């Protein structure tokens, strides 16, 4: 699956909810109409091991569906122009664009944020 969301841990009353990652497993539909999106969410407390196979290239633009910590990655574009064109065809009026920079990529590796 493709990593689309990272959620920080939180506390609700007496319950602690651990940090988690969400993977997009696929879309199902017919004739360019998606009728079902499949996601799987895993707690960071899980015994499972995940490996990052490919990171977005430096200079690419991440299109997040909305602002905030709960934002979902909906598209990775080659550059800002490609991201704007994709948004014009796919909506997401509250989308946030984030360019992948060399500094950000290096920080993720140094800090161990591999997912």
């Amino acid at each position: 699956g493709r990593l689309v969301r990272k959620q920080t841990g939180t506390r609700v009353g007496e319950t602690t909810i651990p940090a988690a990652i969400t993977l997009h497993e696929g879309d199902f539909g017919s004739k360019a109409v998606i009728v079902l999106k499949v996601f799987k969410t895993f707690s960071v407390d899980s015994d499972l091991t995940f490996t990052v196979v490919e990171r977005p290239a430096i200079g690419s633009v991440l299109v997040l569906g909305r602002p905030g910590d709960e934002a979902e990655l909906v598209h990775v574009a080659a550059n800002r122009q490609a991201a704007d064109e994709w948004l014009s065809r796919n909506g997401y009026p509250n989308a946030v664009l984030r360019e992948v920079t060399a500094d950000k990529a290096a920080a993720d590796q140094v800090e161990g944020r591999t997912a």
Side-chain angles (χ1 to χ4, degrees), residues 12 20 22 36 40 44 47 57-58 63 68 78 83 90 93:
V12 178
T22 300
L36 177 68
K40 289 185 180 176
V44 296
D47 290 335
I58 294 169
V63 181
N90 293 279

Side-chain angles (χ1 to χ4, degrees), residues 6-111:
K6 298 178 194 178
Q7 295 135 297
T8 58
T10 188
R11 187 171 181 90
V12 178
E14 296 297 315
T15 304
T16 300
I17 301 170
I21 60 170
T22 300
L23 303 178
H24 177 234
E25 292 290 313
D27 295 332
F28 298 92
S30 177
K31 297 181 182 177
V33 176
I34 297 170
V35 294
L36 177 68
K37 289 179 166 254
V38 178
F39 298 92
K40 289 185 180 176
T41 299
F42 301 91
S43 166
V44 296
D45 293 344
S46 168
D47 290 335
L48 297 173
T49 301
F50 296 89
T51 302
V52 175
V53 176
E54 181 181 3
R55 292 180 179 277
I58 294 169
S60 62
V61 175
L62 307 179
V63 181
L64 305 173
R66 64 179 180 259
D69 292 337
E70 297 297 315
E72 173 190 330
L73 176 66
V74 294
H75 183 68
V76 178
N79 54 46
R80 178 64 184 245
Q81 180 181 352
D84 289 337
E85 289 171 5
W86 186 88
L87 278 172
S88 72
R89 292 188 311 276
N90 293 279
Y92 294 96
N94 298 317
V96 174
L97 303 180
R98 290 195 187 147
E99 183 175 350
V100 178
T101 64
D103 291 342
K104 176 68 173 145
D108 283 353
Q109 288 182 337
V110 167
E111 294 175 14

